[in-house]
Amino acid sequence: MAESDSFLHLARPLGPATIGSQPTTAPLNVIIQPQAIFSILDHSLRRNVDQERVIGTLLGVRSEDGQEVEIRNCFAVGHTETQEQVEVDMEYQKQMLSLHLKANPKEVLVGWYATSAELNTFSALIQNFYGGQGDGTWPHPAVHLTISTEAGKDIEARTYISAPVGVTAERAADSAAFIPVPYEIRYGDAEKSGLELISGAKDREDRTTSVLTDIESLERAIEEVLGMLDRVSKYVEAVIEEEAPPSSALGQFLLNALALAPKVNPEDIERDFNNHIQDVLVPMVLEAAKQTEQVRKVVKEAEGNEEGEVVVVVIEEEEEKVEEKAESGHEQAASAYLQSSIYM
């Protein structure tokens, strides 16, 4: 008998299907927005002591071809879970879903979340509900997001889709094969600034941090850019001197980044920069002038008294502080600008 190779063809499972219908392909990638994770963590912190996990509904957008799902929002759904059974408030879930879709018509139901990495029979029941026809994600598969919130350990996220298993309809209702899919936590510039501000409190005992002013934010951003430019310059010098291995991919990336730099005159940059600084300083001066005017009214009422003379001295000191602060802020920004101009 001639030898022959055996092959096993594996296909990505699809969502639950009925006879005569054809579902779309499953998502290949899941994008998670940070605000959704924060909402899930907040829900986990507010759970009852006897609850091992909490669940909720995921909302977001889906690409036209269904290959990518972006999770943008979520809301909590009450449920009771024991060793024998699980009860989910489906009526509340439907009402909240309807309200959210009215407020955000561009978003759709994409799946559900749980604050536990464990997958069990109850998970299959809930998964089949969210992926079903009618009020579910059909014909697209529901995305199941798990967030581990165990104390003392790092937060871990996982995303799954599922396919039905079971030879009968009764068995298929409480059974599902969970298949992991890749995910990505993506955030924009606004979210990045907020996350950096929050992370600044992790090393402090009181777990608090102060909001940076516009001048401080600008100075910090310029310092970060200067630091990145310094690291890139050192790497390029090391490659030229054959002290570091070259990378064609990194070189192409740097070339593309430099090609995106706008072609403008240094005088135009300096003019725009000074205009921006003036826009930042004007609100500070106006606020100080408003406070000074209020104090002057008090002085006018107390004119001729010793208290009035004391207040006048205080006003003069405050005015000097405002002027020094404005000059200091302008000098800091100008210094950072001069440092950055060295690399231009």
Side-chain angles (χ1 to χ4, degrees):
M1 183 176 180
E3 295 183 0
S4 61
D5 296 333
S6 299
F7 297 90
L8 177 63
H9 178 71
L10 298 177
R12 181 182 294 274
L14 303 175
T18 57
I19 298 176
S21 62
Q22 178 65 33
T24 61
T25 57
L28 298 177
N29 186 43
V30 177
I31 299 173
I32 308 173
Q33 294 290 341
Q35 58 267 25
I37 296 181
F38 283 136
S39 298
I40 296 173
L41 295 178
D42 179 69
H43 184 198
S44 178
L45 292 175
R46 293 183 289 104
R47 73 180 188 274
N48 297 329
V49 180
D50 56 343
Q51 274 189 303
E52 294 185 0
R53 67 174 182 175
V54 292
I55 67 172
T57 299
L58 297 175
L59 302 172
V61 294
R62 186 180 287 107
S63 61
E64 295 182 358
D65 57 0
Q67 298 297 305
E68 186 175 86
V69 171
E70 181 177 354
I71 300 174
R72 295 182 176 180
N73 202 353
C74 65
F75 62 87
V77 176
H79 89 295
T80 303
E81 187 173 349
T82 62
Q83 295 292 338
E84 294 78 19
Q85 64 178 3
V86 59
E87 296 180 0
V88 181
D89 192 348
M90 298 301 184
E91 188 64 28
Y92 172 82
Q93 191 272 339
K94 293 179 181 179
Q95 293 178 0
M96 286 295 297
L97 178 61
S98 177
L99 293 175
H100 274 267
L101 295 182
K102 288 181 180 179
N104 303 283
K106 294 183 179 180
E107 296 182 355
V108 296
L109 173 67
V110 296
W112 66 291
Y113 70 83
T115 57
S116 174
E118 180 183 0
L119 300 174
N120 52 28
T121 303
F122 298 148
S123 299
L125 282 170
I126 301 174
Q127 176 75 6
N128 291 335
F129 165 76
Y130 277 94
Q133 300 187 40
D135 298 327
T137 61
W138 175 264
H140 302 281
V143 176
H144 178 36
L145 170 65
T146 62
I147 301 290
S148 61
T149 57
E150 189 174 352
K153 295 184 178 180
D154 294 337
I155 299 175
E156 294 183 0
R158 296 179 182 177
T159 51
Y160 302 89
I161 59 171
S162 66
V165 294
V167 295
T168 62
E170 292 76 10
R171 291 297 303 166
D174 59 356
S175 302
F178 286 93
I179 289 75
V181 292
Y183 72 92
E184 175 187 358
I185 300 178
R186 184 180 300 176
Y187 48 84
D189 294 336
E191 290 84 358
K192 182 179 180 181
S193 300
L195 293 173
E196 290 178 351
L197 182 62
I198 294 174
S199 63
K202 64 180 181 180
D203 297 328
R204 302 186 58 175
E205 296 181 357
D206 55 358
R207 292 295 189 271
T208 60
T209 183
S210 58
V211 180
L212 300 178
T213 63
D214 292 338
I215 289 292
E216 292 173 342
S217 300
L218 179 61
E219 182 180 3
R220 182 176 178 180
I222 294 177
E223 290 177 352
E224 291 179 354
V225 172
L226 293 175
M228 289 187 289
L229 290 174
D230 186 56
R231 291 198 301 270
V232 171
S233 299
K234 291 181 178 179
Y235 170 75
V236 173
E237 291 176 358
V239 171
I240 295 175
E241 296 177 359
E242 298 182 355
E243 296 179 359
S247 173
S248 57
L250 183 56
Q252 185 65 39
F253 177 81
L254 293 176
L255 181 61
N256 295 336
L258 293 175
L260 296 176
K263 306 299 182 181
V264 294
N265 296 325
E267 294 79 7
D268 296 336
I269 297 178
E270 184 175 2
R271 184 185 65 255
D272 295 338
F273 187 85
N274 291 331
N275 292 336
H276 176 73
I277 293 299
Q278 294 298 329
D279 294 339
V280 172
L281 295 178
V282 164
M284 298 170 55
V285 176
L286 292 177
E287 181 65 22
K290 181 180 178 181
Q291 296 177 358
T292 303
E293 184 63 26
Q294 293 175 353
V295 177
R296 286 186 182 278
K297 291 181 180 180
V298 177
V299 174
K300 188 175 181 180
E301 296 176 358
E303 188 175 1
N305 300 332
E306 294 181 356
E307 296 180 355
E309 296 178 357
V310 174
V311 174
V312 171
V313 175
V314 172
I315 292 176
E316 294 177 352
E317 293 178 352
E318 291 296 327
E319 290 177 346
E320 292 178 358
K321 290 181 180 179
V322 171
E323 293 178 357
E324 292 177 357
K325 187 175 182 180
E327 293 177 358
S328 175
H330 191 277
E331 289 176 357
Q332 291 177 0
S335 176
Y337 170 76
L338 291 176
Q339 294 180 14
S340 62
S341 64
I342 298 175
Y343 294 89
M344 293 181 179

